[in-house]
């Protein structure tokens, strides 16, 4: 079964520091990749997505992610974080569930980001 | 456009009882998926419905069931509640049939506590 690994459970950064959150998946076929964010007290929101094309994708609020197929990775980056980026970040992979003929999202366990003013 | 709505937002039940949670997708969205979120296991897929048909099911016991109505609203039911069912239950909707990859839009969740 496919799995998604987010190696950092909790990351603490000062404002203006650069951010990189790791995401690796185990699936040999075609994947569609997502990063979702959950701000305190709010629901999950889509940050960015990759389906095909340019492996460097840009999302909302200055976030970007790079799909490296050879490394099975889809790391999230932001050059300068703000206090308002404090949230939990989830990487997700959509793969085809051949038995059902439908795509299914598998999530990583999330990385909590705390930004100190 | 209104987002995905879930009711109730909070629920406290006793072990052995059953519970029904409700989800209204974004207008025009016909696919609804349910997830269980816990601190230990993270987000785990429960099932997905499209046009009133269950398209896909995660690895959960038969106590977890769901359905979708003709207006795309969905309900999930958990029977014979166990302490381990305490979790945030998230509903997500998508405008596309899941035979096509597409992003999902999440609701605020229902926080279920089983005592």
């Amino acid at each position: 079964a496919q799995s998604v690994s987010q190696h950092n459970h909790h990351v603490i950064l000062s404002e203006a520091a650069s951010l990189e959150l790791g995401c690796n998946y185990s699936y040999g076929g075609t994947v569609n990749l997502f990063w979702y964010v959950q701000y305190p007290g709010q629901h999950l929101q889509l940050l960015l997505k990759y389906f095909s094309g340019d492996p460097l994708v840009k999302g909302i609020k200055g976030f970007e992610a790079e799909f490296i197929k050879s490394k099975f990775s889809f790391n999230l980056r932001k050059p300068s974080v703000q206090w308002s980026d404090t949230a939990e970040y989830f990487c997700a992979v959509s793969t085809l569930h051949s038995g059902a003929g439908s795509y299914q999202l598998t999530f990583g366990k999330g990385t909590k980001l705390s930004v100190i003013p | 456009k209104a987002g995905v709505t879930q009711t109730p937002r909070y629920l406290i039940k006793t072990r052995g009882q059953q519970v029904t949670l409700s989800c209204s997708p974004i207008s025009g969205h016909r696919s609804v998926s349910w997830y269980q979120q816990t601190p230990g296991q993270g987000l785990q897929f429960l099932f997905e419905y499209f046009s009133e048909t269950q398209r896909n099911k995660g690895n959960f016991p038969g106590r977890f069931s769901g359905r979708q109505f003709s207006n795309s609203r969905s309900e999930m039911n958990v029977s014979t509640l166990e302490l381990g069912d305490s979790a945030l239950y998230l509903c997500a909707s998508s405008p596309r049939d899941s035979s096509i990859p597409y992003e999902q839009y999440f609701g605020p969740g229902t926080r279920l506590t089983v005592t």
Side-chain angles (χ1 to χ4, degrees):
Chain A
Q2 54 270 30
S3 64
V4 180
S5 298
Q6 292 182 245
H7 306 295
N8 305 105
H9 178 64
H10 192 185
V11 172
I12 302 172
L13 294 172
S14 298
E15 273 193 319
S18 64
L19 169 72
E20 181 159 4
L21 301 182
C23 173
N24 288 90
Y25 61 92
S26 64
Y27 185 71
T30 301
V31 293
N32 304 284
L33 301 156
F34 306 85
W35 276 96
Y36 281 87
V37 60
Q38 191 170 33
Y39 297 102
Q42 296 188 29
H43 59 275
L44 272 169
Q45 300 172 41
L46 181 67
L47 207 49
L48 47 78
K49 62 186 178 185
Y50 173 79
F51 283 176
S52 63
D54 188 344
L56 184 64
V57 292
K58 296 191 185 300
I60 60 172
K61 303 187 181 185
F63 286 91
E64 65 178 30
E66 185 175 13
F67 170 50
I68 303 179
K69 189 175 181 179
S70 61
K71 294 185 178 180
F72 298 89
S73 70
F74 189 55
N75 292 353
L76 181 71
R77 300 194 293 246
K78 186 171 184 178
S80 176
V81 294
Q82 301 172 317
W83 176 79
S84 58
D85 293 325
T86 295
E88 190 159 15
Y89 293 80
F90 294 90
C91 180
V93 175
S94 174
T95 55
L96 183 62
H97 190 261
S98 56
S102 62
Y103 282 83
Q104 181 176 320
L105 266 183
T106 301
F107 282 85
K109 291 198 174 180
T111 297
K112 287 185 182 173
L113 172 65
S114 298
V115 180
I116 302 168
Chain B
K1 222 184 224 186
V4 178
T5 58
Q6 293 186 245
T7 56
R9 293 293 310 278
Y10 302 92
L11 206 49
I12 300 175
K13 289 286 189 178
T14 303
R15 195 170 43 181
Q17 288 185 315
Q18 74 158 16
V19 67
T20 300
L21 312 181
S22 181
C23 170
S24 292
I26 293 171
S27 177
H29 286 198
R30 295 168 61 194
S31 171
V32 173
S33 297
W34 289 88
Y35 296 84
Q36 182 194 65
Q37 186 178 17
T38 60
Q41 298 299 317
L43 276 139
Q44 293 186 287
F45 173 74
L46 279 157
F47 27 65
E48 184 234 341
Y49 286 87
F50 182 82
S51 292
E52 303 177 65
T53 302
Q54 187 179 86
R55 290 295 309 271
N56 204 352
K57 190 177 192 309
N59 190 24
F60 278 82
R63 299 185 298 107
F64 291 82
S65 63
R67 60 178 176 168
Q68 187 180 34
F69 301 94
S70 58
N71 61 359
S72 296
R73 191 177 70 84
S74 177
E75 289 181 347
M76 69 162 280
N77 184 277
V78 189
S79 62
T80 320
L81 284 165
E82 299 177 1
L83 295 178
D85 297 332
S86 294
L88 181 67
Y89 289 88
L90 295 172
C91 170
S93 75
S94 174
R96 302 283 183 91
D97 175 357
S98 61
S99 63
I100 302 166
Y102 209 81
E103 64 262 30
Q104 296 180 6
Y105 298 85
F106 284 80
T110 294
R111 173 75 62 186
L112 172 66
T113 302
V114 182
T115 62

